Amino acid sequence: MRQRVRQSRNAVLRQFAATLAVSSLLALAGLASASAQSGTPAPDQSKAAAQPADAAAKDAAQNQRRTDEFAEAAQVINGPAGNPECVWLGRRVVRLMWRDDLDTAFRHLDLYDRFGCPGGHIQAAFRCLTRFGGQIDPKVAETLDSRVHACWINPASQPQQAAAAASQPAAPTTGNSQAPQPAASPSPAASPSPAPPK
């Protein structure tokens, strides 16, 4: 008698498990089809073809710019600091130090040392970068990258030189040129006198 009860219980439990499994599968299939129907429409084929072409052109331009920067560094800097691996790792170390990512900067510095690159050049480039701190826009990555490269090429550059060169007008070609006169400073406006107490 007990055996028949156990068999009937097992049969009921098996039937319940099978029903539950089928119900779950149907619910999942319904959710999958509903999400497929409400998904975003497929992008236009012309737009999809144009995006990889634009990305490839952008990558090619960026690679050419990097190659030009490495060639410029090799021409300007004598010694190992002008080697492409030293330029790449050194600029990266300086950039990471500027962004206060010192752990990563030290790991890159270990690689920099393994390639036999001069550590003094990193110090000089970072010193140069700190001089230009007010001219670096933290929201625009290109300003930091271009300033790091300029400081890597010429660690002795000064911010006053850049500002003075930008503000000087072109020299006149006439024979009676005079030295430019300094602009008169504006006088401060008179402040209103306080009313006498009553």
Side-chain angles (χ1 to χ4, degrees), residues 92-93 95-108:
R92 183 165 271 222
V93 168
R95 188 178 312 116
L96 289 167
M97 286 171 43
W98 179 260
R99 291 184 178 155
D100 289 333
D101 190 359
L102 297 179
D103 292 334
T104 309
F106 287 140
R107 286 194 300 262
H108 281 78

Side-chain angles (χ1 to χ4, degrees), residues 8-185:
S8 67
R9 266 195 221 161
N10 288 340
V12 170
L13 288 176
R14 278 189 223 128
Q15 183 66 30
F16 179 73
T19 306
L20 183 64
V22 170
S23 301
S24 299
L25 287 174
L26 289 175
L28 286 175
L31 287 175
S33 66
S35 67
Q37 290 175 359
S38 66
T40 58
D44 191 19
Q45 294 296 329
S46 62
K47 290 180 184 176
Q51 288 174 351
D54 290 342
K58 191 175 185 179
D59 288 342
Q62 187 176 14
N63 287 337
Q64 183 62 39
R65 182 182 56 86
R66 286 181 185 162
T67 304
D68 293 343
E69 287 176 351
F70 291 149
E72 178 189 7
Q75 289 174 352
V76 174
I77 302 171
N78 293 330
N83 294 343
E85 64 273 11
C86 294
V87 173
W88 188 80
L89 285 167
R91 291 187 317 183
R92 183 165 271 222
V93 168
V94 171
R95 188 178 312 116
L96 289 167
M97 286 171 43
W98 179 260
R99 291 184 178 155
D100 289 333
D101 190 359
L102 297 179
D103 292 334
T104 309
F106 287 140
R107 286 194 300 262
H108 281 78
L109 191 57
D110 289 340
L111 284 172
Y112 182 82
D113 291 337
R114 283 192 184 180
F115 280 106
C117 303
H121 200 82
I122 286 185
Q123 292 171 345
F126 188 72
R127 186 178 301 121
C128 170
L129 187 64
T130 58
R131 288 185 215 129
F132 290 94
Q135 297 175 0
I136 297 173
D137 186 5
K139 295 178 184 175
V140 181
E142 273 305 308
T143 59
L144 176 61
D145 293 341
S146 65
R147 183 52 53 200
V148 167
H149 179 69
C151 283
W152 189 263
I153 296 296
N154 183 12
S157 62
Q158 298 287 329
Q160 294 83 9
Q161 292 173 352
S167 66
Q168 280 184 343
T173 57
T174 60
N176 59 357
S177 64
Q178 298 176 353
Q181 298 294 327
S185 62

